[in-house]
Structures are given as C-alpha cells and as structure tokens.
DNA sequence: TTGAAAGCGCTAACAA
DNA sequence: TTGTTAGCGCTTTCAA
C-alpha cells in the first residue's frame, strides 16, 4: 500500500520490476535504450503501483524545469484570455508547463512577479510588459541570459528582443484609413493610460500616420486611466460641440464597448450618429449588436507562436536556420479589419 | 561571477558568510533560531552574490510544493478571469504559487489536466468541474486524499466536498421572482449545455421553484451547445408566436449578451419588447447599455475564499476559530440582484 | 547558537 | 542492454 505511507517512487517501481533504478528511469525517458520486454515489465509494475512520477525530482536533477513563466497584464480583458488558450495548448503539447502571473499593468509588480517566476526556475518566459522599449525588468532578463519572448509588445527593429505581435502601427493606420475611406474627417483616438501600454502609443502613431497621409490634422488622444462610469463626462465633452468627431478609434475593444455605451447614454446612435472602431478583435465584439468594428488580432495564435518561438530558442538550433536573416526575432502576424457594424459613413 | 558558471547556491552563500549550509538555510527560514548578527552576515552575502533560492530544491526536500493547482473551464468567460484574480492575490500573499489549467468543460480533459497537476505535486487544488455530484476525478482525489476546494460548484449538503459558491438555486429563484414581480408570466430559460455545468441545472431548478411558487407553469429550458450565430434561429423560434415569452433568464451573462444581440437582430427592443436577465455579474455587464440585469456573484471573492479555505485545510487547525459554528465544508457567499437595464415590465 | 550529515526523487555519466 | 554511483539545491534531524 504505497499510498498510505506515501506514494510509490521510481525506486519502488524498479524493485517491483526487478531492475535497477536507472533502467526504470530509462524505461520512461529513453525506452529505445531498453529491451522491449524490460520496458513492459517496468510499465506493468508502475501501473500496478499507481506510480506517478514526481516532476519535482526530475526538474531538480535535470536542471531544467520544463516550465514556462507567463506574465500578462490581466485576464479580465478577453484578449489575454484568448492568448492564454493558445499558450496552454502549445506548451502542454510540447510537454511544457505554464506558470501564470498577472502584472495589472504595474511595472513594480512586473519586477516582483518576474523574480517570483525566476525562483521557480522557469526555463523561459512569455511576457507582455507595459513598455518593451524601456523596461528595467527586460534589461535584467537580458543581463541574466534568461530567454523570453514578448507577446503583443512589438520589439523595435534592430532590438535584440524577440516578439510576436501584429504590426500595431501599420494595422492601426489601416483601420483609421478605412474610417477615412468611409468619409470620416474628424476622428479622435480614445485610449487607456498610455503609460501602461506601448501598444496604445503605437496604435496612436498609426492614427497619426493615416491622418497626415490624407491631409488631416491628427487630434490629441483622450487617455482614460480606466474605463468607469466617470469617464462618461469626458466622452460627453468630446462628443459635443460643432466640431465633434464623427468617429472614435479606441485602442482596444473593451474600451470601445464602454465608449459605445457612453455614447448611447448621451442619446447618440452608433453608427448612425457616430462611428466607433475598436482594436483587438475579441470574440465578444462579434457577439454584440451592432457588431463591433475592429482591427482584429489573431490572439490565440499570438499565444501559440510566442510559445513556439520560445521553445525554438531552447532547442540547440538543429540544422541552424540562418536565425537572424530567416525567422527573425520579430514576428508580425497578419491582422484583419472587421468593418461594418459600429462603423458607417458619417451622417 | 556566479552567474557565468551557474547561479549562486545556498552553499556559496554559506561559504561567503563563513557559516555552515544549515545556518544559512536557517537565516532565511527561521531567523529566530540564528544570532541576529549572523543573519545579517548571511543576508549580506546573499545580496552580494545575487542569491536566488531555488524553489525546486526546497520543494523537493520539504516534501511540499507550496503550489496550488487550479482548474477552470476557460478564462474566456470573464467570470473565471475575475475569480483568478482573487486566487492569485490570496495565494501569493500566503506564499503559495498557482498552476493553472483549463478543462474546456470537457470531463476527459479534466482527468488529464488533474493528473498533470498531481505530477507537479501540488499541495491541493481549487477546481470548477462540470458536475460535482458525479465526477470520477473528484472521487479519485478523495480516494487519494488530495485536498481540494470547489469553486462555483456547490457541494450537496451532506457531501464530504468543500465548496465556495453562491446559492445557485436560491439566487436564481430570487432573480426569476424579480421578473415575476415586474409583471412577467411567460419566462423562458436559456442555458449553455446542461451536461457541462451543474450550476446551469441548479439555476434552472431555481427558475422552476419561482414559477411554481407563483402558480406559473415552468417551461423547458433552451439549451445551446455554444453561443454562435447559428443559435439566432433557435432564439427566433422561441421569441416569435402569440405565446412568446416576455422575458428570458440566461444562466450566464455571456449567453445573455449573445441572446440580447440575437433579439436585436430580430428587431426586438430590450427591455421594451422583451426583458433579459443574466447570471454572474461580470464587470462587462455593467458597462454595456442598457446595463445587463443579472444575478451578481462575488467572483473575485469566490476565488479568494476558495484559496483561503484550501489553505485552512492545509493548516493543522490551530486554535480552531469558532467562525461559523465550525466553518462547514460548504461556503455560500451572498449574491445580489442587479435589476433595471435589460429588465423592465412587460409591454 | 551552530555544524555535520542524511537524504527528498530523480537523471546521467561511467562501467560492465 | 543494464547497473552503480554521484549528485541537483535544499531542509532538517541530531549532536555539539
């Protein structure tokens, strides 16, 4: 009864199978090195004893945890929840585990949580940080030689950092150009706190590109610290007046949904009176009526690819692909535009 | 340069501080047992060497991982994302780590993922399963003596299982009674797949209770396998005809949001033509316009309390707090009703 | 108050 | 093809 006095260990299995500890271990990890009948005997013994390998032991001994640390700002924005699904699938399929922490967009907490992951001896990390270009914690990771891949953050060209994202600036520009093509001239950007998201800033740059390319004057962004009812006042101030915008470009979908509600409360109809374009392409956006127009990112794929990229960094470059020329550190995944719904021609 | 040739270990710290390995360990774990000046010396050496404890070593040796396994159906429903936040805060504050897996409401995957957590030697688990009353995997955990606490699932009275949830049936009944109080008589329930959620069934029972208590005939529930556009047809069929319901009670908020969109597409106005009541109280519901009426659960608190309860099971009941006349295995947290918004009197 | 020593469960040389 | 052996980094008796 190994369960009563603690679970069976590999030693117990070896004993029961009449082989040495080493052979028992090999039967699991490199069965090719063991005679087939011996493998069977070991497996049989293991089953009989309800043997469950203690990963803590292997991790310690093998000096690799086969764990990937994941730090995301929050899961309460579906973008990241969708991304997590991609990561979980990709990691477990490859025999890796994930350890998740959230940073709440707080750089101090980022540091803390990453230190925590490091103590757990994760082999590498997938991270979404507030600002990839100016991140003390990323610099530290570089210094320590810990492999990581950014998700959503877009590494600067020429940067040593690896990232998987869409082209934030270019895609935002495309989205705003679609607005312009629909006839909009007075377009305003609504964003979460810029400080907390370099993506938001890049998307704003894309807005500026689009406006300028079409001879329009970009306006200052409206930065909301967080989307609560109290922001309705700011939206109201913006949406009123003779020169009121005919379209809002929100740097994420959740924000867009909140803005639309605010506009409705002000008696405005979307998209008849005013258009709203979001960014992210969360599944929920397609569910609401009218459907949320959005710049759609492949969120689940971003998760999968970020993990795949990290795994590739672990592998000792078999058949070394030219590395820097070929796959490149920066992966830009294709985005799409979902128009219609909350976007229409201005009144 | 301990970083080049591998990170510094406790042995290095001990050496640098001129003490034994044991003393160095104590300086961190039981500083009370070590002379103050010695503690300082060790800490100083650790800082100097950028010592980072290897949790894998301690976990293995201490025969406890201080890890909690968490299994949730998905994070893409904000209910669970909100719950995760509560768990993360509670666990990290107590010095525990979390390992998250998702089951996608699939019992086979539940087994698999739990086995995976077990191999990681989690000290216990917080779980949301498809059906707590009939779960092979829960039975197995009981047999093996692995402590776990259910979140959202409500253990049957008299069950040996621990759970933290709201009173699903009672709260649903209250919600439906509010509908009845508003003047509704023809009320239908829309649910996700019953098989995948015992909560959905319990909430349906609450609906039945309410209807019967008021002399109304409960109708069959409409069970949607998943909420996609193709369900609009079923909603249409339900919402049409002379005896069409004047209100829908959806067993979760995400579903409710989808149903509302479907109704809008059918040209119906919510709540003027038809009322919709959700369940869960996700933050998003308060953001949309009109606000989603809902039976509100304290999601973050459910996460916190589930972790707290598990932690309490770990501790050898010190000075047993009278708490609740013995805390009891089943914790029912208070719910609230958020009315107005998508619920109004029938036309 | 401190140290010596024995492992936790496992993998991976090195031998046979 | 299999076995012997030496730890991975840490905690924790047991003695001093």
């Amino acid at each position: 009864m190994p369960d009563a006095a603690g679970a069976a260990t590999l030693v117990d299995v070896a004993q029961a199978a009449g082989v040495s500890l080493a052979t028992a271990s090999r039967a699991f990890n490199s069965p090719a090195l063991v005679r087939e009948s011996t493998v069977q005997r070991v497996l049989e013994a293991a089953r009989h004893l309800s043997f469950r390998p203690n990963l803590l032991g292997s991790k310690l001994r093998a000096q690799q945890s086969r764990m990937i640390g994941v730090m995301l700002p929050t899961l309460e924005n579906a973008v990241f929840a969708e991304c997590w699904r991609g990561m979980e699938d990709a990691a477990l399929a490859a025999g890796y585990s994930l350890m998740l922490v959230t940073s709440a967009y707080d750089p101090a907490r980022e540091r803390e949580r990453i230190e925590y992951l490091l103590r757990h001896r994760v082999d590498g990390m997938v991270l979404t940080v507030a600002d990839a270009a100016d991140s003390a914690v990323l610099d530290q990771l570089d210094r320590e030689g810990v492999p990581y891949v950014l998700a959503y953050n877009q590494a600067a060209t020429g940067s040593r950092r690896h990232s998987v994202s869409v082209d934030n600036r270019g895609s935002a520009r495309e989205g705003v150009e679609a607005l312009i093509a629909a006839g909009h001239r007075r377009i305003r950007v609504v964003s979460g706190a810029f400080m907390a998201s370099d993506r938001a800033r890049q998307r704003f740059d894309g807005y500026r590109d689009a406006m300028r390319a079409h001879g329009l004057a970009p306006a200052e962004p409206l930065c909301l610290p967080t989307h609560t009812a109290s922001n309705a006042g700011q939206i109201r101030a913006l949406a009123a007046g003779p020169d009121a915008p005919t379209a809002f470009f929100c740097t994420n979908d959740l924000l867009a949904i909140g803005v639309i509600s605010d506009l409705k409360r002000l008696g405005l109809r979307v998209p008849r009176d005013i258009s709203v374009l979001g960014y992210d392409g969360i599944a929920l956006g397609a569910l609401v009526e009218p459907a949320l127009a959005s710049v759609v990112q492949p969120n689940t794929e971003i998760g999968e690819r970020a993990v795949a990229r990290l795994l590739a960094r672990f592998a000792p470059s078999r058949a070394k692909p030219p590395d820097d020329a070929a796959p490149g550190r920066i992966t830009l995944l294709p985005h799409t535009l979902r128009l219609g719904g909350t976007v229409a021609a201005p009144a």
Side-chain angles (χ1 to χ4, degrees), chain A residues 71-196:
Chain A
M71 185 176 72
L72 260 16
T74 172
L75 294 171
E76 292 170 71
N77 183 335
V79 172
F80 300 116
E82 291 174 12
C83 178
W84 168 265
R85 178 160 52 86
M87 295 201 245
E88 184 176 339
D89 290 347
L92 296 224
Y96 275 75
S97 321
L98 296 179
M99 179 159 277
L100 171 71
V101 294
T102 61
S103 66
Y105 294 99
D106 173 357
R109 186 162 150 175
E110 283 182 0
R111 275 199 75 83
E112 200 176 275
R113 293 297 202 250
I114 283 190
E115 173 63 25
Y116 164 97
L117 292 175
L118 254 12
R119 291 180 179 219
H120 281 279
R121 288 303 190 270
V122 295
D123 294 335
M125 306 186 186
V126 174
L127 310 169
T128 301
V129 299
D131 188 346
D134 176 29
S135 166
V137 76
L138 254 30
D139 292 338
Q140 184 199 338
L141 255 23
D142 286 335
R143 242 179 288 120
E144 300 195 22
V146 178
Y148 63 90
V149 173
L150 299 169
Y152 294 100
N153 296 290
Q154 189 176 155
T157 42
S159 154
R160 294 193 51 76
R161 290 176 180 156
H162 293 245
S163 70
V164 175
S165 69
V166 294
D167 173 2
N168 281 290
R169 183 165 177 168
S171 59
R173 171 178 173 151
E174 267 181 48
V176 174
E177 286 186 325
L179 251 22
I180 295 173
H184 293 279
R185 293 294 171 270
R186 297 194 304 279
I187 305 170
R188 291 290 300 252
V189 170
V190 182
S191 174
F194 262 18
M195 286 303 90

Side-chain angles (χ1 to χ4, degrees), chain A residues 33-45:
Chain A
L33 300 181
V34 181
R35 188 191 305 157
E36 171 60 17
S37 66
T38 310
V39 173
Q40 288 312 322
R41 209 143 33 88
V42 172
L43 262 34
E44 173 54 35

Side-chain angles (χ1 to χ4, degrees), chain A residues 22-35 39:
Chain A
T23 300
S25 173
R26 285 193 282 254
F28 287 103
N29 304 314
S30 338
L33 300 181
V34 181
R35 188 191 305 157
V39 173

